[in-house]
Amino acid sequence: MTTLFLHFFLFVIITCITNLIPAVHSNCIVEQQLSLLHFKKSLVYVIDPPSPRLITWNSSTDCCSWLGVTCSTNGYVVGLDLSSEFVSCRIDNSSSLFQLQHLESLNLANNVFNGSQIPSAIGELTNLRYLNVAHGFYSGQIPIEISRLARLVSLDLSRNSYDGVSLKLENPNLSMLIQNLTELTELYLDSVEISGQGSDWCEAISSSLPNLRVLSLSFCGLSGPICDSLAKLQSPYEIDLGNNWFYAPVPRSFANFSNLTSLSLSGCNLLGIFPKEVFLIPSLQTIDISSNPELGGSFPEFPKNRTKLSTISLSHCNFTGSLPMSIENLTQLVDLDVSWNRFNSPISPIHWEALVNLESLDFSNNLLYGSIPSSIVSPPLLVALALSNNHFSGQVPEFFNTSSQLLRNLLLGNNNLEGEIPTSIFNLKGLMYLDLASNNFSGFPFSGPQQPRTLSFLDLSHNSLLFDYNGTSSPFLQIENLLLASNKLVGLPDFLKNQSTLSKLDLSGNQIQGQIPNWIWRLNSLGLLNLSYNSIVNLEPLLPNSTFTLFSLDLNFNKIQGIHSSYAFLQIGRLGLASNKLRTFPDFLRNQSTLNYLDLSNNQIQGQIPNWIWRLNSLQELNLPCNYLETLEAPLPKANSSTVVTSLDLHSNQLQGQIPLFLPFAHFLDYSRNNFSSSLPADIGSFISKTNFLSLSRNNLHGTIPRSICNTTGMVLDLSYNSLSGIIPQCLTQLPLSILDLRTNNLTGSIPDNFLEHCKLQTLDLSRNNIQGQFPKSLVNCSSLGVLNLGNNQITDTFPCLLMTISTLRVLVLRSNNLYGSLGCPKTNSTWPVLQIIDLAHNHLNGEIPATSFATW
């Protein structure tokens, strides 16, 4: 009873006290709320309706309770966070946003402002301490008004661009922008185009921002050197200057930044020797100096318990020397990447088991040697290990007592390893990707009790493997992608019969002979099969009612004479039968409904090309060169037929008669080196409007070049080595061609002097014709020209000095014309920096070309 009375008494007391204290209500100022509502109304969104954050913004609730809004105790809006709200509109200077004069923090990052400029009215928010408009799709000049925000502590304008146009700091420049921002501790201007001379940028930062803790200026187009005055920064934590154009060494003063936690200088074209003392900064956690191929250096000795390094990325540099044993002292290390350097030492003395936090280790593409220690897979969190492209030798170690259950990727390819792969490799229970290519292994445990259920990728190509299947009943390793190219196989290994998940199999470059057994087609998951470069004679006929679909079958470079008609039930997407001994078109091809690529080149096929091949309704690429074909079976498809062939290669056959033009959507046509003996059809342009490559070279074509040929929008036109006559059509030099080859014909007249202003020609060959007239002055527009051959014509003119301005010229042949006068070009100082061949023989020229014209000779 006493307890009940006590509870009642407490209830009464608490109720009375509660009634005496007034309820606490947010006191959002009405004008502030109206400004926010007007601002919300002006917004447009990529995704509608807006996110839950903005749904809370309504007139019936206090604005200080809205998500993304922070108020001061007296009701003014001091913080606004609209990051990642899928806003898609432009905020101009009249926006009610700029009525929020008490704003101290504004975050508009990760929205879509459609390439607009940052509004200059941002300068009215003079109380701002934090401004973030990163990833906002802004572009154009950064407004000078930001420099009025003298209270700013953090400024982030990074990663802004729209339609290829980035944010820029030109006028104002960086110095003008930050000169008043003396309280700034964080500056993020990544991907802003910062103009200025040399090291102006770092002089501006060191003189204006002494309190800077975070400096992030990656992808800014900065130039070097990195000035020593950056040492004035009192205590930077993070520095990211990656992907700029310094062409200078790293200042030793960087080692004095005693509180530095992260340093990124990747892709900066750094030179000289990297100061190894930087690695020893006690607070440093992340260092990335990758992709600086001219930057040398070596590792220091790492002391115990004095480093917090978790990430070291040195890939694609020029570091040398040994990997010190003291690497084992980096117990916080998570990611170590020193690939593509010149480290040259063994790795076996290092106690790798000490690196208990290591997740990724990449030593690939160095000069490391010696044996591979089993301890290297001991780190319990290790996921990826790459030791490929070194000089490791000996056998792969036994993997007993390993604690690495997470290792998924193991790359040991291109070393000098030998012997058999131990079964204990599958103690690595998480292994999915295994690269053992380009070694001298003689065996691999495809069967046994310890395999994981499935390997996603196994590359054993370029080894010395033989298989002698002994009929074991042990479970077989299941593999999805198996590469066994360039070994010593003489047949298909029997263990393949048990593969239920195999999708890609590469057996190319072996010694497989005779017949391919039909059981291979019962591997239901198989999609890509490469049997090229073997000595296969035929394929065993399919069993009745067999059906199978294969994305790609490569039988190139074998000795196949024919394929049984039962393979009509095998549906293939891409089929390579090049360089075999076929004499006819395999009949099973008639029934291919999914075939889109067919290569029958370099066989012994004679006679005619059957017209049923054009009715294969998926066929897009057909290669038939280097056979003995003479005709195309009539009737050919009409221009409006359903054929979808876009690439047809018939070169080096014995085809005769008219040029076959019936593929209006073809982008590649090569009819060269045949016996076609017609004139070019007047309507040829109707069939080549989509053609990027057209070669009719080395036939017996005659007559004139029809004007309709200019309907092509292609890049290569080759009519060389024929008997074409008449003039060069004026429109031909108006095309966006990269190669125009009309050599060795009977063309007359002059070269049209109307080359496009932005001519794209890289090769122009009109040699061995009967061309007269003057040298075309507009050829100077072809600023990418590499090969120019006008030899053996009748061009009458002085030496074309205009060519001196084409710095890409490698071959210049003007021999056997009527050129006259002096070779000197006194009005130009240009050179030919890459010229390799020049032939001016058999003209009427005198004098000499100055040696300075040949920059590389």
Side-chain angles (χ1 to χ4, degrees), residues 67-183:
L67 295 178
V69 176
T70 303
C71 292
S72 64
T73 55
N74 54 4
Y76 287 107
V77 176
V78 294
L80 186 58
D81 183 358
L82 291 179
S83 60
S84 304
E85 286 296 318
F86 301 102
V87 172
S88 176
C89 61
R90 301 188 176 204
I91 299 175
D92 58 29
N93 291 328
S94 63
S95 173
S96 59
L97 170 67
F98 303 115
Q99 296 170 8
L100 303 173
Q101 293 291 305
H102 293 79
L103 268 181
E104 296 179 11
S105 176
L106 176 60
N107 188 349
L108 298 175
N110 298 303
N111 285 291
V112 184
F113 295 112
N114 295 326
S116 61
Q117 288 190 306
I118 297 173
S120 59
I122 199 81
E124 299 172 10
L125 304 177
T126 54
N127 286 304
L128 274 180
R129 295 181 64 77
Y130 302 92
L131 175 59
N132 187 350
V133 294
H135 296 273
F137 290 89
Y138 280 112
S139 66
Q141 175 65 41
I142 294 173
I144 184 61
E145 285 78 8
I146 288 180
S147 66
R148 299 176 188 169
L149 307 178
R151 297 189 63 203
L152 272 180
V153 172
S154 177
L155 174 61
D156 191 344
L157 308 179
S158 62
R159 312 290 178 186
N160 276 285
S161 68
Y162 184 79
D163 199 20
V165 179
S166 301
L167 274 179
K168 303 180 190 302
L169 262 177
E170 294 177 342
N171 186 19
N173 58 22
L174 178 63
S175 178
M176 296 168 64
L177 179 75
I178 65 176
Q179 60 186 348
N180 298 323
L181 309 183
T182 55
E183 295 185 28

Side-chain angles (χ1 to χ4, degrees), residues 251-432:
R252 289 194 172 274
S253 57
F254 273 37
N256 299 326
F257 294 143
S258 58
N259 292 311
L260 194 65
T261 62
S262 177
L263 175 63
S264 179
L265 297 170
S266 62
C268 285
N269 300 282
L270 296 173
L271 306 176
I273 302 298
F274 185 79
K276 64 174 65 176
E277 296 82 3
V278 173
F279 289 108
L280 301 177
I281 297 174
S283 58
L284 192 63
Q285 299 174 21
T286 300
I287 181 169
D288 183 357
I289 53 176
S290 60
S291 300
N292 287 291
E294 301 299 318
L295 180 65
S298 59
F299 276 131
E301 289 294 331
F302 295 101
K304 287 185 177 182
N305 304 320
R306 281 190 54 202
T307 176
K308 297 181 179 179
L309 274 170
S310 63
T311 300
I312 300 176
S313 181
L314 306 183
S315 65
H316 293 86
C317 288
N318 195 28
F319 273 55
T320 57
S322 301
L323 295 175
M325 282 187 62
S326 56
I327 278 182
E328 65 193 42
N329 294 332
L330 303 178
T331 55
Q332 302 301 311
L333 201 59
V334 174
D335 187 351
L336 175 58
D337 184 355
V338 299
S339 59
W340 296 95
N341 280 278
R342 294 192 297 131
F343 287 108
N344 56 342
S345 68
I347 63 172
S348 53
I350 299 171
H351 292 89
W352 297 102
E353 65 274 11
L355 303 181
V356 294
N357 292 296
L358 192 64
E359 296 179 6
S360 178
L361 179 60
D362 192 346
F363 286 167
S364 62
N365 296 281
N366 277 278
L367 304 172
L368 301 172
Y369 58 88
S371 60
I372 296 175
S374 59
S375 64
I376 201 162
V377 296
S378 295
L381 302 180
L382 191 63
V383 174
L385 173 61
L387 303 177
S388 51
N389 295 290
N390 279 285
H391 300 306
F392 292 115
S393 58
Q395 295 188 333
V396 173
E398 294 284 354
F399 295 102
F400 295 129
N401 302 319
T402 176
S403 58
S404 180
Q405 302 298 310
L406 301 178
L407 187 64
R408 293 176 59 85
N409 300 339
L410 177 58
L411 286 71
L412 305 178
N414 201 19
N415 280 286
N416 299 316
L417 301 170
E418 59 187 7
E420 295 197 0
I421 305 298
T423 303
S424 61
I425 197 170
F426 295 118
N427 287 342
L428 306 171
K429 300 295 185 182
L431 196 61
M432 295 293 291

Side-chain angles (χ1 to χ4, degrees), residues 767-768 775 788-792 799-800 803 809-817 819 823 832 835-843 845 849 854 857:
S767 61
R768 297 188 181 278
F775 192 92
L788 176 61
N789 189 351
L790 302 180
N792 297 90
F799 180 75
L803 293 178
L809 207 58
R810 293 179 290 107
V811 176
L812 174 61
V813 179
L814 300 174
R815 68 174 293 126
S816 299
N817 277 282
L819 300 181
L823 281 171
W832 287 315
L835 191 69
Q836 298 172 331
I837 296 173
I838 181 169
D839 187 351
L840 305 177
H842 301 290
N843 280 286
L845 298 167
I849 300 177
F854 309 114
W857 288 25

Side-chain angles (χ1 to χ4, degrees), residues 426 444-455 458 467-480 482 493-502 519:
F426 295 118
F444 186 88
F446 284 98
S447 66
Q450 301 182 39
Q451 285 83 356
R453 183 180 59 83
T454 300
L455 263 183
L458 174 58
F467 293 101
D468 185 15
Y469 175 55
N470 59 9
T472 178
S473 59
S474 299
F476 278 86
L477 174 67
Q478 294 296 310
I479 310 166
E480 293 178 5
L482 176 59
D494 276 359
F495 78 87
L496 292 174
K497 293 180 180 179
N498 300 84
Q499 294 297 309
S500 60
T501 62
L502 191 63
W519 58 255

